[in-house]
């Protein structure tokens, strides 16, 4: 049966879709888009172009044939590749154990296994030195019993080990995310065909994880390729030189005729390697098979009689990797000097007092806080704008804008530092703390962009369409609806930027200028000066503050 009803017709035409002509130019969205392109160009394109230009026109290429450079290159490639492969093996094994077996205490072990992510690598190096350094209690006791230390952490093997320790949580997270998308039906079909649970996991599940394993290897290897903190603290005492420590020596000592040209040439080589890795990962991601989410919970592999033993062994390994170094770092912080027995009479807070009153400590803390907060605010605003624009509008340049904003994730920090060293004299920022801020913005902008774009991409645009029908411009609809929805994600990303920047070392130590040393540089200088207990005390403070800050961030994001 038909029925009639009154229909309200608007007095004027309702314009939907994209405004055209003069209205499109006046709605402000084009101006915002242009400003964001300028910002991304200044923070990403300009540094890359500068390092390419000086590498092409400078005279640094001849120095690359120097035996010292070749040795450092081999050491960097070996340590990055080997640590990346070991990190993937360890991370994948833990992901399978914690996700697909009935191992006891899985939740607690998962949190502990991820804890190295919350500690700066150079702080982790200092913590491990307190456990396995030449004068550590473990090696002292072992030497007294067997005539030789258990393991001196200094050297190339120590560098590979610590890069693996700080890399396997990344592999574990990536593989775990992929593992949760593998349909349980595949394993169940293999079980029905007669395979055991273990055979089904190895023959069906593990091959489907290879793309995630390759992606995590690429990410970890590129990151480890230019790490400075671990090779400088662990490798240099045994003359194990990598490209990052060699670049630092060139910039600080002036042992080559044109250090900037040589460093730019080295940075260009690292840039090419990093971009090749990113391209390989991109091609792999385009050809991989996407799997649907799990239709049913998978049957966990029963460990049977080995369940308790496997749980104890896994817990012992995870605790030894994560908690034990922090315990020994705390113990060393409470002692007045290395080698002093850990007894109640020797416990003191003198190392904390020495660390906090050392020359430059308060200035370093102030500089770190100022730079970290500034980077967090600027990255938060830019990331909020870019993430909202590329996910809630339709434009041909969205993919390019998003790609450039995320590109620095694939570029080693060493390359970014060298690029800003090249630019600094031309823009008047040389020997100022603001050059460090610029490098922070380049490195950490992607953290906020990802934090904002991921939730917005999964949110329908219905509310914006209603606002447009009600007469709001595109810019007003984006501001009132999408930006406000994304503010919590942008705040979380900004906090992550601040926590990362306040304890960063590679960028800060290479861009160091008089009066602009940061907290990471202060700890590094204390370690290099032989004030091991003071550096341990300050490292412990940084580690605990980082753990507390990231814990609060995770709790507030629930």
């Amino acid at each position: 049966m038909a029925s009639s009803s009154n229909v309200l017709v608007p007095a004027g035409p309702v314009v939907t879709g994209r405004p055209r002509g003069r209205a499109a130019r006046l709605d402000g969205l084009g101006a915002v888009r242009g400003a964001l392109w300028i910002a991304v160009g200044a923070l990403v394109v300009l540094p890359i172009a500068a390092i390419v230009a000086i590498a092409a026109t400078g005279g640094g290429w001849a120095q690359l044939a120097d035996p010292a450079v070749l040795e450092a290159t081999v050491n960097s490639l070996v340590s990055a590749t080997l640590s990346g492969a070991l990190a993937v093996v360890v991370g994948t094994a833990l992901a399978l154990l914690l996700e697909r077996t009935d191992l006891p205490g899985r939740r607690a072990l998962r949190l502990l296994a991820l804890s190295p992510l919350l500690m700066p690598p150079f702080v982790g190096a200092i913590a491990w030195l307190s456990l396995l350094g030449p004068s550590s209690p473990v090696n002292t006791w072992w030497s007294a019993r067997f005539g030789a230390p258990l393991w001196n952490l200094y050297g190339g093997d120590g560098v590979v080990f610590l890069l693996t320790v700080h890399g396997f949580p990344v592999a574990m997270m990536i593989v775990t995310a992929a593992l949760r998308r593998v349909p349980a039906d595949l394993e169940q079909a293999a079980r029905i065909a007669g395979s055991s649970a273990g055979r089904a996991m190895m023959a069906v599940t593990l091959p489907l994880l290879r793309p995630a394993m390759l992606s995590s290897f690429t990410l970890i290897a590129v990151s480890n390729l230019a790490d400075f903190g671990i090779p400088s603290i662990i490798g240099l005492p045994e003359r194990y030189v990598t490209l990052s420590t060699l670049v630092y020596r060139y910039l600080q000592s002036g042992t080559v005729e044109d250090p900037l040209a040589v460093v730019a040439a080295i940075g260009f080589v690292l840039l090419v390697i990093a971009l090749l890795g990113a391209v390989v990962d991109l091609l792999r991601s385009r050809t991989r098979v996407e799997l649907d989410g799990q239709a049913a919970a998978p049957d966990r592999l029963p460990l049977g009689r080995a369940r308790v033993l496997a749980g104890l062994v896994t817990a012992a390994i995870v605790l030894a990797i994560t908690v034990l170094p922090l315990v020994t770092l705390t113990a060393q912080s409470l002692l007045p000097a290395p080698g002093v027995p850990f007894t109640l009479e020797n416990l003191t807070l003198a190392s904390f007092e020495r660390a906090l009153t050392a020359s430059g400590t308060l200035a370093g803390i102030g500089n770190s806080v100022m730079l970290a907060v500034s980077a967090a605010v600027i990255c938060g605003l830019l990331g909020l704008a870019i993430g909202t624009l590329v996910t809630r509008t339709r434009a041909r340049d969205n993919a390019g804008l998003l790609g450039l904003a995320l590109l620095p994730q694939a570029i080693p920090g060493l390359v970014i530092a060298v690029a800003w060293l090249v630019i600094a004299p031309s823009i008047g920022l040389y020997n100022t703390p603001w050059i460090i801020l610029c490098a922070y913005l380049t490195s950490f902008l992607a953290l906020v962009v990802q934090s904002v774009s991921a939730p917005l991409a999964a949110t329908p645009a219905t509310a914006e369409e209603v606002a447009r029908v009600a007469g709001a411009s595109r810019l007003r609809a984006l501001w009132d609806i999408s930006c406000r929805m994304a503010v919590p994600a942008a705040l979380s990303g900004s906090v992550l930027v601040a926590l990362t920047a306040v304890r960063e070392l590679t960028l800060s130590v290479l861009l160091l200028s008089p009066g602009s040393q940061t907290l990471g540089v202060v700890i590094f200088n204390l370690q290099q000066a032989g004030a091991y207990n003071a550096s341990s005390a300050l490292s412990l403070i940084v580690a605990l503050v980082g753990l507390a800050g990231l814990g609060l961030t995770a709790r507030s994001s629930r």
Side-chain angles (χ1 to χ4, degrees):
M1 179 182 297
S3 62
S4 60
S5 60
N6 294 329
V7 179
L8 296 178
V9 180
V14 177
V15 180
T16 59
R18 297 181 183 176
R20 296 185 180 182
R22 183 178 178 85
R25 293 193 296 269
L26 294 180
D27 67 357
L29 190 59
V32 172
R33 187 181 296 274
L36 293 178
W37 268 106
I38 292 174
V40 172
L43 293 176
V44 179
V45 179
L46 182 60
I48 295 177
I51 198 171
V52 171
I54 197 170
T57 59
W61 291 102
Q63 187 67 29
L64 298 187
D66 184 86
V69 178
L70 295 178
E71 180 185 1
T73 302
V74 171
N75 289 341
S76 294
L77 291 175
V78 169
S79 61
T81 304
L82 190 55
S83 62
L86 290 174
V88 170
V89 171
V90 175
T92 302
L94 285 175
L96 290 172
L97 276 173
L98 299 177
E99 290 293 324
R100 289 295 175 94
T101 71
D102 61 348
L103 193 76
R106 293 186 301 274
R107 180 175 300 179
L109 289 175
R110 186 181 296 110
L111 293 176
L112 286 174
L114 294 176
S115 63
L117 286 176
L118 311 181
M119 186 184 302
F122 71 95
V123 171
I126 294 173
W128 276 97
L129 278 179
S130 65
L131 178 63
L132 292 174
S135 59
S136 66
V138 173
N139 278 328
T140 301
W141 178 84
W142 196 272
S143 296
R145 296 294 187 278
F146 302 100
L150 174 64
W151 181 28
N152 184 0
L153 195 61
Y154 286 127
D157 52 349
V159 171
V160 172
F161 171 72
L162 287 181
L163 289 176
T164 301
V165 168
H166 285 271
F168 84 82
V170 177
M172 179 179 161
M173 287 196 306
I174 295 175
V175 173
T176 297
L179 188 59
R180 291 174 178 174
R181 290 188 56 82
V182 175
D185 301 343
L186 299 178
E187 286 186 16
Q188 292 172 357
R191 295 288 302 277
I192 293 173
S195 295
S196 64
R199 179 67 182 275
M201 179 184 294
M202 299 301 295
V204 176
T205 305
L206 193 59
L208 294 175
L209 298 178
R210 287 174 185 168
M213 295 166 64
L214 178 60
S215 179
S216 58
F217 169 78
T218 303
L219 180 62
I220 295 168
V222 168
S223 176
N224 290 347
L225 184 65
D227 185 82
F228 175 79
I230 291 175
S232 62
I233 294 175
I234 304 298
L236 286 182
E238 290 292 329
R239 297 183 179 179
Y240 185 83
V241 180
T242 62
L243 287 175
S244 59
T245 54
L246 184 68
V247 165
Y248 177 74
R249 186 175 74 190
Y250 282 164
L251 294 175
Q252 294 297 317
S253 63
T255 53
V256 292
E257 183 177 350
D258 189 356
L260 201 57
V262 176
V263 166
I266 294 174
F268 179 79
V269 173
L270 288 176
L271 177 63
V272 171
I273 295 174
L275 292 180
L276 286 176
V279 169
V280 170
D281 189 58
L282 179 63
L283 293 177
R284 177 205 54 77
S285 65
R286 287 185 174 181
T287 57
R288 72 169 184 254
V289 177
E290 290 289 345
L291 296 173
D292 295 330
Q294 295 197 21
D299 292 332
R300 295 191 181 275
L301 174 64
L303 299 176
R305 295 179 180 180
R307 182 173 183 267
V308 176
L309 179 60
L312 291 176
V313 172
T314 305
I317 295 174
V318 171
L319 289 173
I321 292 176
T322 59
V323 176
L324 191 57
L326 276 178
V327 172
T328 55
L329 181 67
T330 304
Q332 183 164 317
S333 302
L334 295 174
L335 294 176
V340 175
F342 188 80
T343 61
L344 188 61
E345 294 79 12
N346 292 331
L347 298 184
T348 177
L349 297 178
S351 296
F352 291 92
E353 181 181 358
R354 193 180 311 119
L356 294 174
T357 58
S359 176
T361 298
L362 294 181
I365 294 174
N367 288 334
S368 289
V369 172
M370 181 270 293
L371 292 172
V373 171
S374 300
V377 171
I378 298 174
C379 287
L381 294 175
L382 286 177
L384 176 62
I386 294 172
T388 302
L389 194 68
V390 299
T391 55
R392 311 302 276 191
T393 65
R394 294 182 179 179
R396 294 180 179 178
D397 61 345
N398 279 349
L401 184 61
L402 179 62
L404 283 177
L406 299 180
L407 179 61
Q409 284 190 321
I411 301 176
L414 171 64
V415 177
I416 295 174
V418 171
W420 281 104
L421 273 176
V422 173
I423 297 173
S426 302
I427 59 178
L429 295 181
Y430 190 71
N431 273 345
T432 69
W434 308 118
I435 194 68
I436 299 178
L437 176 61
C438 292
Y440 283 177
L441 296 179
T442 301
S443 298
F444 305 140
L445 175 62
L447 296 177
V448 184
V449 174
Q450 282 187 324
S451 298
V452 171
S453 59
L456 281 183
T459 305
T462 308
E464 290 176 17
E465 295 173 358
V466 171
R468 293 296 309 281
V469 170
S473 64
R474 291 186 298 172
L475 184 60
R476 181 62 182 271
L478 287 175
W479 172 256
D480 287 346
I481 308 298
S482 297
C483 281
R484 293 188 179 183
M485 284 194 302
V487 163
L491 288 176
S492 297
S494 298
V495 172
L496 184 58
V497 168
L499 291 173
T500 305
V502 80
R503 56 202 183 132
E504 194 279 332
L505 179 62
T506 302
L507 298 174
S508 304
V509 77
L510 294 177
L511 298 174
L512 182 65
S513 60
S516 64
Q517 63 180 353
T518 60
L519 183 57
V521 175
V522 171
I523 297 175
F524 175 73
N525 289 339
L526 287 172
Q527 183 74 14
Q528 296 299 104
Y532 301 117
N533 294 75
S535 67
S536 297
L538 203 53
S539 298
L540 181 62
I541 295 174
V542 171
L544 293 179
V545 170
L547 289 171
L550 287 174
L552 290 175
T553 303
R555 184 177 180 181
S556 63
S557 61
R558 290 178 181 177

